Amino acid sequence: MTLRTHRIAIAPSGFKESLSAARVAEAIAVGVRRVIPDADLDLIPLVDGGEGTAEALALAGGGRLVPVTATGPVGEPVASHFALLGGPGPLTAVVEMAAVAGLALVPPGLRHPGATTTYGVGELIRAALDAGARRILIGCGDSGTSDGGAGALQALGARLTDRHGRELRRGGGVLHELERVDPSGLDPRLARTELLVACNPYNVLCGKRGVARVFGPQKGATPAEVELLSVGLERLADVLTRDLAPASGAPAIDLRTAPGTGASGGLGAGLAAVGARLLPRYDVLLDGLDLDARLARADFVITAEGALDHQTVRGKIPAEVARRAHASGVPVLVLAGTIGPGAQDVRAVGVDAYSAILPAPMTLVEAIDRSDEFLADATERAMRIMALGTRLAPLAAA
């Protein structure tokens, strides 16, 4: 049994809290080769700024990971890292916020986004500055926080105080008490460093589609906590605009609604207030991969993500891959851990077919433990169906 399609690009994201993008690509390749042993496969594991970003960019750019112990999202020390990249130009570091403030680092019983902090992100930025970096790329994604980057600003030297002049506790749940941000203690090296935030431009800080309302429930917030977080982030945006952004010399942007300000629980807004540029993540993260040309050379593209649903079209990797492949007329299959409401919307961005990988109902623990096995098996099933289709096509034409 053979397929006419032999040039296959495999361009997936990682499965959060389960498999890296590289392991997802390898599992899909196993399934393809069970059906087409001589397939010409181009494995292109992709990252979106979340888990695995620093390691992936270090590998792609001839760099290295630098281990750091920093403050985790619940306030306890965690083993983390940032990357230093090779190449010409100023020394570039990659700070992956998920490596120090990601949801995977928040124990299930402590998933209260009003209490979690991005303090460790600021510590990683300072560690990168200590290493000599003068260009820092901050990858946003998979966050377990909703503090608007307040914790990161505190770690970088800013003082956030209430109306009594007392330093605010960490976490988004107290931001409604914020009265003033004092930038005088900010690390002076920030003014001499290019900060680039790779973020999803669909995520904004405030309003009906504000980050607390969209992602707060996923991080464990109750409806009442969502409203408290929303009020706090509104307050943070107002105070940052008044006290901090002018002192940083940052371009004037609306910290409440500008694209990307809601990235990683509002980290985008906090960093923008100290001069960071918020950039569409794929414009930054896919640079150097020659992705468009590699997809165009393929006869068929397989991409994947952990959950395919209404959020996929709002900047997730399968939608980006499909959009680029569709421009070259290349068909796209998406494999997903789960399929939720709104998954059908991906057809509008160029996805030709999608399928879930789980063969039967099971616990989340089992699904995670066996995800590479399920991916390979689901790929094999999809490829055999395609092979059957190629055999039936001449009969249909007759």
Side-chain angles (χ1 to χ4, degrees), residues 73 97 100-101 116-123 145 147-153 155 264 267:
M97 83 84 60
V100 72
T116 50
T117 180
T118 55
Y119 196 90
V121 178
E123 291 178 320
T145 58
D147 72 350
L153 293 176
S264 287
L267 177 64

Side-chain angles (χ1 to χ4, degrees), residues 13 33 61 72 79 94 103 123 153 193 207 211 225 241 267 289 370:
S13 69
R33 292 200 185 280
V94 179
L103 186 61
E123 291 178 320
L153 293 176
T193 304
V211 66
E225 289 169 337
T241 300
L267 177 64
L289 288 180
R370 300 176 62 190

